[in-house]
Amino acid sequence: KNQVEQSPQSLIILEGKNCTLQCNYTVSPFSNLRWYKQDTGRGPVSLTIMTFSENTKSNGRYTATLDADTKQSSLHITASQLSDSASYICVVRLNNAGNMLTFGGGTRLMVKP
Amino acid sequence: NAGVTQTPKFQVLKTGQSMTLQCAQDMNHNSMYWYRQDPGMGLRLIYYSASEGTTDKGEVPNGYNVSRLNKREFSLRLESAAPSQTSVYFCASSETVRPQHFGDGTRLSIL
């Protein structure tokens, strides 16, 4: 069964610190991997999207990495801010299913002052 | 910049009641989707519409129906609500394989 597993489930860090969120997937055939940010009470918003051939992609203080061989991705947040408090969702798209996506359960990040 | 608009934002129903969740997008996207999000679980696809005039079942379609009214609007109907359908419902739209844009959800409680 196609699955996307994220760790940790939740994380608390101090403002200004860095953190790394993990995503492992068993989705096959793989097309691309996306990271979404979901603020409390809001819908998910796309942060990055990476295809099979891309190892890393940045969006401001967010840097996503992808190892398609080990089927692992990470999202690194640099110099965290209070506004980074949110859930971060890893999403994988199958290569043969239009825009059908498999969602991870998310990592809930809390940044404290 | 409205993007994807969902109504209502909150709703409480009694078991057996029916209701329709509304979704509209103003980005001229061909594809639209309905998901449900439950605590500790990833979003699960209920139904999707790849283009105007077409709809297909997703992962968890039982108990739901959809209508793609036109290119802008995609509604989700619960004919006879059950407590297991208590969830947060998200509508999304996209252009083919581009990232999906999500609305802010409808929080539905069924007593």
Side-chain angles (χ1 to χ4, degrees):
Chain A
K1 181 180 177 181
N2 291 322
Q3 287 188 313
V4 178
E5 301 288 341
Q6 293 187 242
S7 61
Q9 282 193 327
S10 62
L11 182 63
I12 301 174
I13 62 174
L14 293 176
E15 186 179 12
K17 298 297 186 182
N18 303 336
C19 67
T20 300
L21 314 180
Q22 301 291 342
C23 173
N24 295 336
Y25 63 92
T26 59
V27 174
S28 181
F30 170 89
S31 176
N32 61 53
L33 184 144
R34 308 152 189 220
W35 283 93
Y36 281 82
K37 178 186 180 187
Q38 185 176 18
D39 292 314
T40 300
R42 305 297 298 274
V45 175
S46 180
L47 290 175
T48 66
I49 178 171
M50 289 185 293
T51 61
F52 185 90
S53 59
E54 295 177 295
N55 299 118
T56 184
K57 182 165 280 190
S58 292
N59 179 359
R61 294 178 298 100
Y62 300 103
T63 299
T65 64
L66 173 64
D67 185 333
D69 291 332
T70 62
K71 298 186 176 180
Q72 296 179 325
S73 176
S74 65
L75 182 68
H76 185 75
I77 304 175
T78 303
S80 61
Q81 300 176 357
L82 298 180
S83 59
D84 292 332
S85 294
S87 288
Y88 292 85
I89 303 173
C90 177
V91 186
V92 179
R93 176 177 166 260
L94 288 166
N95 196 30
N96 61 352
N99 208 9
M100 297 304 102
L101 307 176
T102 302
F103 290 78
T107 292
R108 180 172 294 277
L109 174 67
M110 181 178 293
V111 180
K112 289 191 168 183
Chain B
N1 293 339
V4 178
T5 302
Q6 293 184 235
T7 56
K9 294 188 185 305
F10 302 93
Q11 185 70 49
V12 178
L13 293 178
K14 293 181 180 179
T15 298
Q17 287 185 315
S18 62
M19 81 160 294
T20 299
L21 281 61
Q22 306 287 352
C23 175
Q25 53 95 5
D26 62 2
M27 295 169 284
N28 203 36
H29 287 161
N30 281 314
S31 302
M32 296 186 74
Y33 313 81
W34 276 105
Y35 294 92
R36 60 179 288 173
Q37 185 176 39
D38 300 296
M41 299 181 68
L43 276 79
R44 292 181 293 170
L45 183 65
I46 304 171
Y47 271 92
Y48 67 99
S49 171
S51 61
E52 186 179 356
T54 68
T55 61
D56 286 287
K57 294 178 180 179
E59 181 184 356
V60 288
N62 290 346
Y64 306 96
N65 287 301
V66 291
S67 295
R68 183 73 183 267
L69 304 171
N70 46 56
K71 192 171 186 179
R72 289 187 65 249
E73 299 173 289
F74 189 37
S75 63
L76 178 72
R77 182 162 179 83
L78 286 70
E79 290 291 351
S80 180
S84 61
Q85 294 178 305
T86 293
S87 188
V88 182
Y89 291 85
F90 287 98
C91 177
S93 71
S94 72
E95 195 50 60
T96 320
V97 298
R98 302 299 297 165
Q100 295 178 10
H101 296 255
F102 288 83
D104 283 337
T106 294
R107 283 143 189 84
L108 181 61
S109 293
I110 299 165
L111 307 177

